[in-house]
Amino acid sequence: MSTYLITGASILDGEPTDVLIRDGVVARVSTSSTTGGATDEATDEAATGSTTEVVDGTGMVLLPGLVDLHTHLREPGREDAETVETGTMAAAMGGFTAVHAMANTEPVADTAGVVEQVTNGVAVRMAVLYLLLGGSEPIETPAERAPQGPPAVGGEE
């Protein structure tokens, strides 16, 4: 059982707050000045033999995990620019708990085969939740596009 107590962090309104987290779930939130709050509960747990890691949050802002809905991880094809591992590590360092990777890869993630190639083995390399946004249709090159006639003039079609 993992228990963490974050003390003195600011939440939204800026008031110093203590937050007790038990097994990844917020168990108690109270202002730092409140008696009988999260600090007292953590002290009670410590007395019963449970170990509580105390984190001094003074001067810090405590937020829920952020989600990036528009991430360019460039894998496969452009690993020189970014990989799932480096991109998700950077996201974690910035407070993000999930990223949605765009399909602009080489090849484009617009088929089950490419999506499988990208996601195969990714779980061991990701630092945050990784979700791949697949393309809805293959991207055409200019040579593959159907020729279009001149634009309509004067209401003609």
Side-chain angles (χ1 to χ4, degrees), residues 118-142:
V118 174
T119 58
N120 189 23
V122 78
V124 297
R125 298 181 295 124
M126 65 183 193
V128 300
L129 180 61
Y130 167 78
L131 303 164
L132 177 63
L133 301 174
S136 60
E137 61 184 61
I139 295 177
E140 303 168 331
T141 64

Side-chain angles (χ1 to χ4, degrees), residues 5 34 65 69 82 88 94 112-113 127 139 148 153-154:
L5 175 63
T34 304
L69 299 176
E82 187 80 87
T88 59
I139 295 177
Q148 297 180 359
V153 178

